[in-house]
Each structure stands twice: as C-alpha cells, then as structure tokens.
Amino acid sequence: MRPLELYIHIPFCISKCKYCDFLSAPSKEGERQKYVKSLCKRIRSYGTLAEAYHVVSIFIGGGTPSLLDPVQISAIFHAVRETFMVDKDAEITIEMNPGTVSPEKLIAYRQAGISRLSIGLQSIRNEELEVLGRIHTFEEFLHTYEMARREGFGNINIDLMSGIPFQTLNGWKESLKRVADLEPEHISAYSLIIEEGTPFYERYRDARHEEELPDEETERQMYHHTREILGAYGYRRYEISNYAKEGYECRHNLGYWNRTEYLGIGTGAASLIGNRRWSEGEEPEALSRENQMEEYMFLGLRKMEGVTKSEFLKEFGCTMESKYSHVLKRMYAEGLMEESGDYVRLTDQGIDISNYVMSEFLF
C-alpha cells in the first residue's frame, strides 16, 4: 500500500477577506449541511482507489472549516475512516478562524482524531486585521488559542502575514514576538500577495494607492527579521515561509513539496495520483516526464534542505545535471543556489528572489 495525503475542502466563510482568491463564499446552515452530505458521498465513492493506499495525513482547509458544527465534522471523519485506512499516527489538521470556535467543536475535533490546529491570525494589530477584512480581533484570537490549549491540543500553527497595507517594520517585528511568546509549535509567516479578482487587486492596481503598501526594501527587511526573530525563539525555518519547533514540521505540506500522492475532495480541490493531476470536477491530465521534473525542482526547492541529486536520478533515471546543467551553472555563478554534498538548494540571496529562480527550472 502506498502513502496518500487527503485534502478536504470546506468552501464556506462568514465573509470573504479583501485579499482572498481561494474558492470560498458566505453560506447559510442549509447550504453547509447539503454540502457535507454530498462531500461524505464523494468520500465514499473512492472506496476502490482507497484499497491501494494508507493515509498518512489529512488536511481540512477552506474557507473556514471551523464554521461546520460538531455533527458535520463527525460525519466527515466517519466517512473518511469508513473508506480509507488511516494511519494511527496520521497528522490530521483543521484550519480555523478566531471567533468561529467553541469548546464543543474542539471536543468534537479531538474525538474525530484531529491532532493539529491551524489558526488564521495574520496580525496582532486590530487596525491591520480590519484593513484585511478579517472577522476577528487579536483578543478573540487569544481567547481561541487559550481555549484550544485548555482542550489539550499540543500542536498548533499560527498564520501571520507581512506586507499588509500600512504595516511598518516595527509593527511586523512586534507581531512576530507576541506570537512567538505564546509558544505555538509552528508559525507560518507569509507575505501578502495581491491576486487578480480580489478587492485588493482592484484597489492596488491604481498607482495612487501604492503608497499604502510597504515598499520593496521594507518587505525585504521584514523577511530577514522573520528568520532572525523566530530563530532566536527556537523556531527552525524548514521551508521558505514556515517555521517549526523541533519535530513539529507540517508533515502534510512536506508531502506536497516531496510530491507524495494526494487526493483532494470537495469543490475545486486538487489531486495528484500516480502521474495524473486534476481539480475536482475536471478531467485528469497526465503529467509528462518533463512536467514531473519541473515539479520536483520548483516544489523541492521550497525546502531549506533543497533537493537531492540521488533522488532525482532514482526518480527519473537521469542526472540532474543532464537536464539542468546550464541553469545550475548560472544559478551557482550568480550566488542564488549552492551544492552541499548530494543536496542542491537556494542560498539566502536565492530565497529573496525564489520565484525567479524556480521559474528557471521550467522547460
């Protein structure tokens, strides 16, 4: 049996944040109940596929999965365990927003086997949360976090966002320190990306409003201070935007970057089974050998350890140099990548412009 990751998408939220381009929308209770019923049916439809796999991780994402009530969460996990063989030590994560969680929900999560919580904080400053369109305050986040600890959750991630409109370097440093003081096991520190189709895109494509955003140099300093501050608190950066206490790296995300097979269930969820990729409701597309090599490189280079030449050879039957000789030589010469034994990885300078470096590995 091969290892498999499950991603289950819950496309509901109370209101859509101004920067969000994820597949999500406000909903009523009846819509959520109908969706969960359909989702459970869809999960059970994978019974034949499930015979070839054991599930090593499950991630419930959204949207705001914590909008579902305890009965709905229990129904989803009943369908999962009825269909798939889930490892006893599987990492099982649910995303949540402050203000949408109760002790009853947390008890239901534990009963369902959920072992990891991912809380979307984004900022400790209420004015920044308001600018983003978040539905909660920092005080509501603290209440949610303390409640989760009281209910016995010992593996919690907190999301933070830099590059927020009107955010200062000192404000970002304060957010990092206040969150690190809480001692979560994991911190995801992302930079705001303004995506097409969002309210932020409509506002900030107008040059008159660009001054509201931190400039490029400030964002660069934010990025470097993140590593320094979180490192001082004992967090190890193991991926471009993710930091963890020893042993608490997100196994589900590492699976994505290592191209572990995954099955996405729910509206718009993506899957990678064998060498076929598809999103829910679409026809599977077979990945060419070149596609697979591209993914191996640009996903694997997100990890601080990078990719390995021996694994590339084992996976594709040819050396990394035979396919990427010119790119590698140029990246080494420009100081953007480096070799360390079997490993090939980004340098600090390469991480600063990682999107450019990774794009160079596309055929």
Side-chain angles (χ1 to χ4, degrees):
M1 298 180 75
R2 304 200 299 271
L4 179 71
E5 300 192 323
L6 289 182
Y7 173 80
I8 298 175
H9 189 67
I10 308 299
F12 307 122
C13 52
I14 292 177
S15 65
K16 204 167 179 70
C17 298
K18 296 175 184 178
Y19 59 88
C20 179
D21 73 331
F22 294 148
L23 186 55
S24 62
S27 63
K28 296 180 180 178
E29 174 56 35
E31 294 172 304
R32 294 196 289 272
Q33 182 58 35
K34 184 178 179 181
Y35 180 83
V36 169
K37 184 177 180 181
S38 174
L39 185 66
C40 290
K41 183 178 180 181
R42 185 65 172 159
I43 291 169
R44 292 187 173 98
S45 75
Y46 285 105
T48 301
L49 180 146
E51 294 174 0
Y53 294 93
H54 63 103
V55 174
V56 296
S57 70
I58 303 172
F59 197 100
I60 314 293
T64 306
S66 51
L67 280 181
L68 298 185
D69 65 36
V71 173
Q72 292 165 336
I73 288 292
S74 298
I76 290 170
F77 277 93
H78 181 71
V80 167
R81 295 182 186 280
E82 190 178 76
T83 308
F84 294 90
M85 189 178 84
V86 181
D87 289 359
K88 288 183 179 180
D89 66 344
E91 177 192 84
I92 305 179
T93 303
I94 188 168
E95 290 184 331
M96 60 172 58
N97 276 355
T100 64
V101 185
S102 65
E104 292 74 24
K105 288 183 180 180
L106 291 167
I107 291 169
Y109 296 165
R110 288 185 63 80
Q111 290 174 341
I114 293 172
S115 56
R116 184 174 183 271
L117 305 179
S118 182
I119 307 176
L121 169 58
Q122 314 310 345
S123 174
I124 68 164
R125 304 176 74 86
N126 289 335
E127 59 269 29
E128 291 178 1
L129 294 173
E130 187 175 353
V131 166
L132 292 171
R134 302 293 292 175
I135 63 168
H136 61 86
T137 63
F138 179 57
E139 291 71 26
E140 287 172 320
F141 158 78
L142 288 174
H143 176 70
T144 297
Y145 182 81
E146 291 162 2
M147 185 168 34
R149 288 304 199 196
R150 284 197 302 271
E151 293 300 333
F153 283 93
N155 191 354
I156 297 178
N157 168 65
I158 297 175
D159 286 340
L160 283 175
M161 183 179 288
S162 63
I164 296 171
F166 306 106
Q167 189 178 52
T168 65
L169 176 59
N170 285 336
W172 172 242
K173 290 162 68 175
E174 183 187 2
S175 279
L176 289 170
K177 292 174 182 178
R178 289 286 298 276
V179 167
D181 281 336
L182 295 172
E183 299 185 324
E185 286 67 32
H186 191 285
I187 296 174
S188 294
Y190 296 99
S191 177
L192 171 66
I193 298 175
I194 297 178
E195 302 283 5
E196 191 170 352
T198 64
F200 269 11
Y201 180 82
E202 294 303 316
R203 180 172 182 83
Y204 293 113
R205 67 178 178 175
D206 185 337
R208 292 176 299 175
H209 299 297
E210 283 185 358
E211 63 185 27
E212 297 175 2
L213 298 169
D215 60 35
E216 187 174 325
E217 175 59 21
T218 300
E219 283 211 60
R220 191 189 67 80
Q221 290 186 43
M222 288 177 173
Y223 198 78
H224 287 282
H225 279 292
T226 301
R227 182 182 60 180
E228 293 170 8
I229 291 170
L230 294 185
Y233 277 88
Y235 292 91
R236 182 180 74 89
R237 181 169 67 171
Y238 67 98
E239 189 270 345
I240 287 177
S241 301
N242 286 280
Y243 298 77
K245 296 284 191 179
E246 187 66 33
Y248 288 97
E249 297 82 1
C250 180
R251 287 154 52 190
H252 188 86
N253 283 344
L254 282 171
Y256 285 148
W257 301 319
N258 290 325
R259 298 189 74 246
T260 300
E261 291 178 278
Y262 58 88
L263 179 65
I265 307 174
T267 304
S271 300
L272 174 68
I273 299 293
N275 291 319
R276 297 186 307 153
R277 182 183 297 287
W278 72 92
S279 292
E280 192 85 350
E282 298 179 358
E283 288 297 316
E285 176 187 3
L287 297 175
S288 68
R289 188 162 172 267
E290 286 72 22
N291 292 151
Q292 296 169 52
M293 290 179 183
E294 290 173 348
E295 289 194 354
Y296 179 87
M297 296 302 291
F298 69 70
L299 291 174
L301 286 171
R302 292 190 61 88
K303 300 177 294 180
M304 291 302 98
E305 67 179 21
V307 294
T308 64
K309 292 179 283 186
S310 59
E311 184 66 27
F312 189 96
L313 177 62
K314 178 182 175 183
E315 185 79 12
F316 303 112
C318 61
T319 65
M320 192 180 293
E321 290 82 0
S322 69
K323 290 296 180 180
Y324 290 113
S325 175
H326 295 304
V327 176
L328 290 170
K329 286 179 180 177
R330 181 156 48 85
M331 294 296 107
Y332 296 154
E334 294 177 10
L336 301 178
M337 293 180 64
E338 62 186 7
E339 270 187 283
S340 178
D342 192 35
Y343 285 88
V344 175
R345 60 187 176 224
L346 299 179
T347 61
D348 287 345
Q349 185 181 349
I351 290 170
D352 282 345
I353 53 172
S354 58
N355 287 340
Y356 159 70
V357 177
M358 292 173 190
S359 70
E360 292 297 290
F361 288 90
L362 301 179
F363 287 106

